[in-house]
Amino acid sequence: MEHEVGFQFPKDYKELVEQYGQGSYAQFIDVFQPGSSFPAVDIKVAPGEILETLRSVVMHGFHVPGGLDSLFPVGVTDNGNYIFWRMNPRDNPGGWGIAVNEPRGDRWDFFEGNLTSFLVAVLSGAHRVPMFPGDLLAEPVVFDVY
């Protein structure tokens, strides 16, 4: 799969998808998976569609911090937020941070850490993404397998 997307996946991502597989975190966050039977969360299919949409809105003045070429979609929320790897530098996947966009807006939230650390921080309440619902953690956090 890495050969097909043109870069190496971060080690934490590989371990995360191997350990948990396809599913939803807190019934809200879905991480894209290699070879998913659901195209909307297949890391080979979904990111291309998302990046194409971003390209079209950038042409109309939408701001993408760091530029579109530095982002790669790795997840989505039920509210339409996209979760991106910040691929800077591109050849150091272990050092990539996370960016989350506001659907239909140009607000962004940034997290300096890998995807697994982001999920732990968000789902424990240690990091609050302003665009996520305030009651995200009102129920016990579970992982629901598709």
Side-chain angles (χ1 to χ4, degrees), residues 2-137:
E2 292 171 322
H3 179 71
E4 291 182 41
V5 296
F7 59 86
Q8 287 191 324
F9 295 133
K11 183 179 181 213
D12 76 289
Y13 169 78
K14 294 177 193 180
E15 292 171 351
L16 182 74
V17 298
E18 183 178 316
Q19 178 69 36
Y20 287 94
Q22 299 179 52
S24 179
Y25 297 87
Q27 298 181 340
F28 185 69
I29 299 171
D30 297 294
V31 172
F32 297 150
Q33 305 279 320
S36 174
S37 54
F38 303 101
V41 293
D42 187 325
I43 199 158
K44 188 175 154 190
V45 176
E49 295 170 2
I50 294 163
L51 290 172
E52 195 57 40
T53 299
L54 274 181
R55 278 187 193 88
S56 69
V57 296
V58 164
M59 290 178 8
H60 294 94
F62 184 82
H63 175 67
V64 176
L68 191 56
D69 292 339
S70 69
L71 299 176
F72 190 86
V74 69
V76 65
T77 71
D78 283 0
N79 285 355
N81 308 94
Y82 290 111
I83 301 166
F84 297 89
W85 278 314
R86 295 175 66 202
M87 302 171 66
N88 192 6
R90 191 175 181 95
D91 64 350
N92 181 20
W96 295 346
I98 300 295
V100 180
N101 78 322
E102 172 185 37
R104 297 164 299 284
D106 62 359
R107 283 192 313 163
W108 290 82
D109 182 73
F110 301 99
F111 181 82
E112 295 302 323
N114 62 31
L115 178 63
T116 303
S117 297
F118 170 78
L119 290 171
V120 169
V122 168
L123 299 175
S124 70
H127 180 76
R128 170 96 173 88
V129 177
M131 294 84 78
F132 286 5
D135 64 351
L136 176 63
L137 303 177

